[in-house]
Amino acid sequence: MRKAETHLEHLAITRTTVTSLADRLPAAAPDLPEHPDYPRILAAFNHATGPIRAKDVCQALGHEMLPKNVRSPSRTPSTAYQLRWHKPHNPCSGFGVKAR
């Protein structure tokens, strides 16, 4: 019985929250952007069965996915080392002055 009462209290709180937020909604739907790909992007989101990444949207739009244009979400320390991110920047390097 207590579980049902708690559930009813939560429903009452949810109802109050939703009705208070309904006053903040705009009266009319906003105008959609006029870009020709916008409906295709929306269709890609509507057909997705789970989370969707920007890469997935690009593929749905038929863009070629070249390795040089696709970045991994995080770089590993070995990649950072290979890219020489580990070296401190010498602010004088552009003025012909060598670092010690």
Side-chain angles (χ1 to χ4, degrees), residues 21-67:
L21 292 175
D23 297 335
R24 298 181 190 176
L25 294 175
D31 293 334
L32 296 179
E34 302 212 8
H35 194 279
D37 282 339
Y38 193 76
R40 294 172 55 203
I41 293 169
L42 287 180
F45 279 99
N46 289 335
H47 290 358
T49 57
I52 188 168
R53 301 174 297 170
K55 181 179 177 180
D56 300 329
V57 174
C58 290
Q59 287 175 339
L61 294 176
H63 295 293
E64 187 177 359
M65 301 305 298
L66 301 173

Side-chain angles (χ1 to χ4, degrees), residues 12-97:
I13 293 169
T14 303
R15 181 177 186 272
T16 304
T17 304
V18 170
T19 54
S20 68
L21 292 175
D23 297 335
R24 298 181 190 176
L25 294 175
D31 293 334
L32 296 179
E34 302 212 8
H35 194 279
D37 282 339
Y38 193 76
R40 294 172 55 203
I41 293 169
L42 287 180
F45 279 99
N46 289 335
H47 290 358
T49 57
I52 188 168
R53 301 174 297 170
K55 181 179 177 180
D56 300 329
V57 174
C58 290
Q59 287 175 339
L61 294 176
H63 295 293
E64 187 177 359
M65 301 305 298
L66 301 173
K68 69 177 186 174
N69 297 334
V70 179
R71 262 194 261 170
S72 65
S74 63
R75 299 231 182 236
T76 61
S78 61
T79 305
Y81 185 81
Q82 290 170 355
L83 293 174
R84 293 178 172 58
W85 289 354
H86 64 285
K87 288 186 176 180
H89 174 68
N90 178 7
C92 298
S93 62
F95 300 104
V97 179

